[in-house]
Amino acid sequence: MLKIWFTLFGLLASAFVYAEESSMTLLDNRFRVDPTIEQITFVVYRAERSRPVVLVRPDGKKYYAWRKPDNVRWYQEPAMDIISIDKPMPGPWQAVGKVTPKNKIVLISHLALTTERMPSRLFQGEQIKFTARITSDDQPIVMRDFLDRVNLLVTFTKYVENEASLIKEARPIAHKIGDFADDGIGLDEVAGDGVFTVSLNITPEPGKYRVRITSGNGVFLRAQEQEVLVYPTPIQTTFIQSRFEGKEHMVAVSGEKGMIEPGSIAAQIKHLSPDGAEYVMAKSAAEEAERVLIPIPYNGDIGNYSWMGQAFATELGSGRPLYFPIKKQSYSVLEEVDIAETRRLQEEERLKQQKLMEEMRLLEMREEKRTKTMIMIAVANIVVILIGVAMYFGIGKLKLRPKKEEMPEMQLEMPKK
């Protein structure tokens, strides 16, 4: 196995605006940590699909990706390990792994994550730009392989007093509301400059929350935590639909009094017609006005329409600029209805239904009368049958009964036999 020694000094040149990569071809699997280092992160490139390296401290103790102390954080990929160590033991460390000529170790000392201070008062529905910076020795890191794997995210957790003292099952659940990116897309200004940007949509319900910046891959532990209050949205948007051709629809965007600075509201609305035609209109509120009305043309065409947009305002008191995306909404334009003809048809239908109900009631009455008659006839027949049966058995008994004057003769004749 090829070997080479290198030290931490000279790894990051402070003479440049951006911190330079400190890397050398891995001819040796050893590297030295200076006693002044409080935290170090190193990136190990190894053979594709090889096993993670084994770290050996200066005293011979071994660290593995699956077995390590709490001060070691380990992120692994098929051809890379990113390992961060808090308060590393000074002296020569050793990384034992599958070595190829392309392997190298990049050392990053004093790795730090700093973020902006989030406003202590947020509004539900608003969207804010939030940035974080990753530095080494107070210089931005521009190593693409490392930045692409940092995986920073923002979570909101419902505020609970003494949360750390609660058992795990009783603690509130953290909800992710945004991921940082350093890709130059969206609100991120420059790709790969070490400045991470996230567009946060404040979706949680109003209340008090703990905001945490964390790393999903373990390179960083919790980097920042603060408490914020989420208030109900101070911006109301109303769509006023026109009923007459030639008269415009209206979108009213208004701010809550005492929360939004008068005259600061501005809005842009994009309107889509059934045929795909697009209409965009922007307007600002007049001085000291607390709402703005945006007209949308109405041409009377039948079909389904949609509209969306964005609203801007300034928070009263703090002067903080606010931005609220307006979600897509829809409405329909139907054929004009002849009210008089509709009422006439409705009245005809009502009379028809009424006549039908009367006929059904007559049928029910007739059926009920017929049923009663049938029951009476059945009862009468049963009574007649019963009377007949009674009479039959009564007459039979009379025929079988002997006459009184014949009884003595029968008694006298019996001895003769």
Side-chain angles (χ1 to χ4, degrees), residues 172-283:
I173 299 174
H175 296 280
K176 186 183 77 171
I177 66 168
D179 291 283
F180 287 90
D182 185 18
D183 52 10
I185 299 174
L187 298 181
D188 190 62
E189 297 177 8
V190 180
D193 62 349
V195 179
F196 288 75
T197 308
V198 60
S199 178
L200 289 181
N201 293 306
I202 309 302
T203 56
E205 295 293 324
K208 189 174 183 180
Y209 293 87
R210 295 186 193 274
V211 180
R212 294 182 174 116
I213 314 300
T214 59
S215 172
N217 57 9
V219 174
F220 290 97
L221 295 178
R222 186 180 305 162
Q224 182 189 10
E225 177 180 318
Q226 72 174 94
E227 297 171 7
V228 298
L229 293 173
V230 177
Y231 286 77
T233 179
I235 295 292
Q236 290 78 41
T237 305
T238 306
F239 180 73
I240 306 170
Q241 185 173 351
S242 172
R243 302 296 178 184
F244 305 99
E245 185 175 353
K247 186 176 181 180
E248 298 171 320
H249 304 299
M250 287 289 178
V251 174
V253 181
S254 57
E256 184 177 342
K257 191 168 185 174
M259 301 293 287
I260 299 299
E261 182 180 313
S264 68
I265 298 177
Q268 182 185 66
I269 299 297
K270 181 167 70 173
H271 184 263
L272 300 175
S273 301
D275 58 0
E278 183 177 301
Y279 172 81
V280 179
M281 176 67 177
K283 193 174 180 181

Side-chain angles (χ1 to χ4, degrees), residues 3-74:
K3 297 182 178 181
I4 190 171
W5 285 80
F6 59 90
T7 64
L8 185 63
F9 296 105
L11 297 179
L12 301 171
S14 58
F16 296 95
V17 176
Y18 297 100
E20 295 179 349
E21 293 183 12
S22 175
S23 64
M24 298 184 68
T25 301
L26 188 57
L27 302 178
D28 192 337
N29 56 356
R30 295 176 182 271
F31 55 93
R32 177 172 292 277
V33 175
D34 189 87
T36 62
I37 299 299
E38 292 291 325
Q39 192 275 341
I40 190 169
T41 297
F42 54 94
V43 181
V44 180
Y45 295 84
R46 46 184 167 76
E48 187 72 26
R49 301 189 181 280
S50 62
R51 294 173 60 85
V53 298
V54 177
L55 277 184
V56 184
R57 292 196 323 187
D59 61 357
K61 186 173 182 178
K62 297 180 178 65
Y63 292 159
Y64 302 87
W66 57 90
R67 191 174 72 221
K68 58 191 182 301
D70 293 338
N71 69 321
V72 178
R73 296 179 295 280
W74 202 308

Side-chain angles (χ1 to χ4, degrees), residues 277-408:
E278 183 177 301
Y279 172 81
V280 179
M281 176 67 177
K283 193 174 180 181
S284 301
E287 186 177 358
E288 300 302 320
E290 295 181 342
R291 75 166 185 171
V292 60
L293 290 173
I294 301 178
I296 298 176
Y298 172 42
N299 55 16
D301 291 344
I302 308 301
N304 296 319
Y305 295 78
S306 62
W307 62 279
M308 65 207 75
Q310 45 194 345
F312 306 87
T314 302
E315 182 182 5
L316 186 64
S318 69
R320 182 169 71 91
L322 304 176
Y323 167 63
F324 295 86
I326 302 174
K327 295 181 179 179
K328 186 177 181 179
Q329 303 179 55
S330 60
Y331 68 96
S332 300
V333 175
L334 306 176
E335 292 185 13
E336 187 176 352
V337 178
D338 188 333
I339 297 178
E341 179 64 16
T342 301
R343 288 179 178 174
R344 185 186 68 79
L345 294 174
Q346 290 176 344
E347 182 65 19
E348 286 184 359
E349 183 65 22
R350 187 186 69 81
L351 293 174
K352 186 185 296 183
Q353 292 293 330
Q354 183 177 353
K355 184 178 180 181
L356 181 60
M357 293 297 293
E358 290 176 356
E359 291 177 353
M360 291 179 66
R361 281 196 294 268
L362 288 174
L363 288 173
E364 290 176 356
M365 291 173 63
R366 290 174 185 173
E367 186 65 24
E368 184 178 355
K369 185 176 180 181
R370 180 174 175 274
T371 302
K372 289 181 179 179
T373 302
M374 295 298 293
I375 292 173
M376 292 176 64
I377 292 173
V379 170
N381 289 337
I382 293 172
V383 171
V384 170
I385 292 171
L386 292 175
I387 293 173
V389 171
M391 289 178 64
Y392 173 79
F393 284 103
I395 294 172
K397 288 181 178 181
L398 290 174
K399 289 181 179 180
L400 294 174
R401 184 182 298 173
K403 295 181 180 180
K404 291 182 179 181
E405 58 270 20
E406 295 177 350
M407 295 295 291

